[in-house]
């Protein structure tokens, strides 16, 4: 019998995040190997070790659009995004968890960590882009 | 257009290298990234920026996978972990921006050299590991009270509930900033530095330090990865193959670790680390034209260095660790 407390939920969220992202990457990898192309790039340009096909040339929106065409590269990129989002979700759940315990010092601490993550994901790329 | 067989071969090549890195990373406790970057750059010729990006991504998968199990066991101290993440995430942002400057100015050699030094320095604490299972208690200070740094866990090996408390939170934060910086700079989890911060600076038991460090690595790596993503250091094909491979290797490593009864085996793992560390250092100096020797000579030099270091470390710590085990046995028996 499991206790559905916050620790259990957090552990579960982490596990689901990792499993989903790995499954997406395995599907993507398999499609890419079979089809030999992804998002308009040839297999050589995607797979060569000095490939120029990295995260700067593929906007996330373009990647997500490829999902409906069973594009391997799209699945891989979605998998990578889910993987990065997993710890972010973990921190967000941490804020809720400390709030439920009414531990306000740790609510503030966890919010600071969350702000740092948001800085890295949204603010710094926007600033570097200027 | 490549043939299906070639595409499969490229994928399997990266996958196998990553499984090896995940296995060795988990057996030494250093994490997959620390072994992955040297393997990808030195043996597969992958540019170091892509290798670091792939390593950081793999670090998230192994950390989140392991953390979910540790939270269940309730050994991880979530308060201590979350408090220190303020410093690791800030450090990671500074580290990723620093490496962006390094790569854009073609100074890759610095990353190789720092990487080599970090691996070589983490060999010593890894060799010592197991000596101080539970630290001698230090008197609690004001940070113990304010940040609620106390906790307890059930120790399976000692068959008792261990109560502990942390001290010097500020010193822990300082070391964690540095650990985060190294994580962003090199694309690794820098678990060894995180353990140093909690074990040495905050006087926490080793078991709490290692599991809490593992919990923190995922959040630190997610911070660095996001900036790496924007800078284009994540190559989807390489990163996905390594994330899958490192996770397989790390899971296998955890299973093997429980079965290993002969502790002396870890000296072989440490020898591989010493070799990789020295090789990274020499490659960095070679890229900077400070030490222009053929690649074959570099490997020979690294091999000689490895043999010397391992002999010294074995006599210094290997034999001593045995004595400690014997003495411990006496105290508890």
């Amino acid at each position: 019998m499991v206790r559905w407390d916050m620790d259990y939920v957090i552990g579960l969220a982490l596990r689901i995040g990792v499993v989903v992202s790995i499954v997406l990457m395995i599907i993507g990898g398999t499609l890419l190997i079979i089809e030999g192309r992804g998002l308009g790039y040839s297999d050589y340009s995607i797979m060569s070790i000095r490939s120029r096909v990295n995260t700067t040339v593929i906007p996330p929106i373009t990647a997500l659009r490829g999902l409906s065409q069973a594009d391997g590269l799209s699945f891989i990129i979605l998998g990578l995004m889910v993987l990065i989002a997993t710890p972010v979700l973990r921190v967000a759940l941490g804020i809720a968890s400390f709030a439920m315990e009414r531990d306000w010092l740790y609510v503030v601490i966890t919010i600071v960590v969350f702000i740092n993550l948001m800085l890295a994901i949204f603010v710094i790329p926007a600033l570097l882009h200027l | 257009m490549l043939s299906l067989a070639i595409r499969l071969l490229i994928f399997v090549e990266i996958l196998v290298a990553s499984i090896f890195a995940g296995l060795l990373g988990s057996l030494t406790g250093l994490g997959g990234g620390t072994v992955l970057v040297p393997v990808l750059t030195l043996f597969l010729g992958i540019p170091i920026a892509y290798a670091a990006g792939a390593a950081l991504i793999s670090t998230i998968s192994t950390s989140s996978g392991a953390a979910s199990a540790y939270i269940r066991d309730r050994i991880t101290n979530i308060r201590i972990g979350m408090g220190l993440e303020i410093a690791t995430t800030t450090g990671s942002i500074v580290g990723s921006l620093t490496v962006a400057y390094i790569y854009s100015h073609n100074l890759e050699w610095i990353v190789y050299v720092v990487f080599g030094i970090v691996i070589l320095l983490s060999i010593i604490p890894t060799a010592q590991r197991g000596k101080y299972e539970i630290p001698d208690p230090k008197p609690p200070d004001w940070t113990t009270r304010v940040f609620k740094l106390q906790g307890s866990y059930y120790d399976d090996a000692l068959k008792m509930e261990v109560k502990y408390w942390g001290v010097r939170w500020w010193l822990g934060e300082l070391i964690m900033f540095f650990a985060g910086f190294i994580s962003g700079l090199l694309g690794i989890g820098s678990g060894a530095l995180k353990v140093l911060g909690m074990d040495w600076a905050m006087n926490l038991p080793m078991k709490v330090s290692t599991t809490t460090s593992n919990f923190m690595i995922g959040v630190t790596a997610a911070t660095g990865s996001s900036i790496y993503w924007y800078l284009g250091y994540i190559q989807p094909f390489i990163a996905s193959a390594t994330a899958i491979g490192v996770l397989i290797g790390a899971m296998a490593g955890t299973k093997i670790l429980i079965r290993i009864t002969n502790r002396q085996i870890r000296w072989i793992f440490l020898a591989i680390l010493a070799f990789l560390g020295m090789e990274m250092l020499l490659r960095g100096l070679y890229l900077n034209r400070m030490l222009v020797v053929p690649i074959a000579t570099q490997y020979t030099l690294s091999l000689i260095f490895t043999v010397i270091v391992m002999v010294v470390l074995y006599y210094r710590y290997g034999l001593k660790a045995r004595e400690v085990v014997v003495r411990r046995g006496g105290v508890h028996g």
Side-chain angles (χ1 to χ4, degrees):
Chain A
M1 199 49 206
V2 291
R3 272 196 302 155
W4 275 84
D5 59 4
M6 206 58 192
D7 282 353
Y8 181 75
V9 173
I10 289 172
L12 199 66
L14 285 174
R15 221 166 317 149
I16 293 173
V18 172
V19 170
V20 167
S21 76
I22 292 291
V23 167
L24 284 168
M25 286 193 264
I26 290 173
I27 294 172
T30 314
L31 285 172
L32 193 61
I33 289 168
I34 293 171
E35 291 176 340
R37 67 194 126 73
L39 292 172
Y41 293 98
S42 73
D43 54 0
Y44 180 77
S45 61
I46 295 171
M47 294 183 179
S48 111
I49 53 170
R50 298 197 174 269
S51 161
R52 299 216 165 268
V53 183
N54 60 43
T55 41
T56 44
V57 300
I58 311 163
I61 301 293
T62 316
L64 295 180
R65 263 194 226 118
L67 290 173
S68 54
Q69 281 110 43
D71 186 289
L73 200 51
S74 286
F75 276 91
I76 289 178
I77 289 173
L78 182 63
L80 291 172
M81 291 197 292
V82 170
L83 194 58
I84 295 177
T86 304
V88 181
L89 176 67
R90 192 260 160 273
V91 174
L93 287 173
I95 299 174
S97 166
F98 287 126
M100 278 158 69
E101 290 175 34
R102 297 181 183 281
D103 187 339
W104 305 117
L105 174 67
Y106 273 90
V107 169
V108 172
I109 285 176
T110 314
I111 289 174
V112 172
V113 175
F114 192 76
I115 290 173
N116 268 350
L117 274 165
M118 291 300 113
L119 277 177
I121 297 172
F122 300 110
V123 181
I124 290 173
L127 288 177
L128 288 175
H129 201 73
L130 292 177
Chain B
M1 188 82 181
L2 307 166
S3 72
L4 182 69
I6 299 281
R7 290 198 291 266
L8 195 62
L9 199 69
I10 300 175
F11 184 79
V12 170
E13 182 188 42
I14 301 175
L15 191 72
V16 169
S18 313
I19 292 175
F20 168 78
L23 197 61
L24 193 65
S26 126
L27 292 175
T28 51
L30 288 182
T34 314
V35 187
L36 187 66
V37 176
V39 169
L40 293 184
T41 51
L42 299 174
F43 305 119
L44 299 188
I46 291 173
I48 194 157
Y50 284 169
L56 212 47
I57 290 289
S58 328
T59 305
I60 304 178
S61 72
T62 49
S63 160
S64 301
S68 68
Y70 288 137
I71 291 175
R72 209 176 35 203
D73 298 343
R74 288 163 210 281
I75 300 176
T76 310
N77 191 313
I78 298 187
R79 277 198 172 74
I80 294 178
M82 198 58 90
L84 294 175
E85 265 167 11
I86 293 181
T88 61
T89 50
T90 311
S92 172
I93 291 174
V94 178
S96 325
L97 293 176
T98 308
V99 87
Y101 179 87
I102 290 176
Y103 289 144
S104 62
H105 290 74
N106 292 318
L107 299 170
E108 278 85 358
W109 70 272
I110 297 177
V111 179
Y112 279 91
V113 169
V114 175
F115 210 112
I117 293 171
V118 167
I119 295 186
L120 294 177
L121 288 182
S122 47
I123 288 175
I124 299 168
T126 313
Q128 283 178 310
R129 190 165 292 178
K131 269 177 69 184
Y132 311 109
E133 191 53 47
I134 294 168
D136 294 328
K138 283 204 170 85
D141 59 15
W142 65 272
T143 58
T144 312
R145 199 180 58 251
V146 172
F147 294 102
K148 307 186 190 74
L149 306 178
Q150 61 281 82
S152 67
Y153 68 95
Y154 183 78
D155 194 307
D156 274 332
L158 299 174
K159 302 246 176 291
M160 60 175 204
E161 187 82 8
V162 176
K163 274 192 198 305
Y164 64 88
W165 60 86
V167 296
R168 296 191 291 197
W169 189 76
W170 53 274
L171 188 60
E173 291 284 331
L174 205 67
I175 295 174
M176 290 305 157
F177 175 82
F178 187 63
F181 178 79
I182 291 294
S183 167
L185 191 75
L186 306 180
I188 61 176
S190 63
L193 262 171
K194 289 192 172 81
V195 170
L196 179 78
M198 283 180 279
D199 183 44
W200 172 77
M202 297 179 68
N203 206 43
L204 295 168
M206 201 57 167
K207 219 163 228 162
V208 177
S209 304
T210 44
T211 55
T212 307
S213 147
N214 205 305
F215 159 78
M216 294 163 62
I217 284 172
V219 179
T220 315
T223 313
S225 303
S226 307
I227 297 178
Y228 274 30
W229 187 293
Y230 174 76
L231 296 169
Y233 302 157
I234 294 170
Q235 206 286 332
F237 179 70
I238 299 172
S240 61
T242 53
I244 298 167
V246 170
L247 193 61
I248 295 173
M251 276 159 52
T254 319
K255 292 238 156 58
I256 293 172
L257 209 53
I258 303 167
R259 303 226 173 113
I260 293 180
T261 44
N262 183 0
R263 301 299 294 165
Q264 304 298 325
I265 276 183
R266 71 202 176 104
W267 294 98
I268 299 169
F269 310 145
L270 289 178
I272 302 175
L273 276 181
F275 178 79
L276 291 176
M278 194 59 194
E279 192 53 37
M280 286 299 271
L281 186 60
L282 290 177
R283 191 62 63 92
L285 296 177
Y286 173 77
L287 289 173
N288 187 35
R289 306 256 169 276
M290 264 164 156
L291 185 80
V292 185
V293 290
I295 304 284
T297 317
Q298 286 179 27
Y299 283 125
T300 316
L301 282 175
S302 300
L303 206 61
I304 296 169
F305 170 82
T306 304
V307 172
I308 296 170
V309 165
M310 292 325 292
V311 169
V312 171
L313 280 179
Y314 186 76
Y315 277 96
R316 179 101 174 70
Y317 298 117
L319 302 175
K320 225 190 210 171
R322 262 193 204 156
E323 276 168 33
V324 171
V325 170
V326 172
R327 257 209 327 262
R328 269 252 177 93
V331 169
H332 289 286

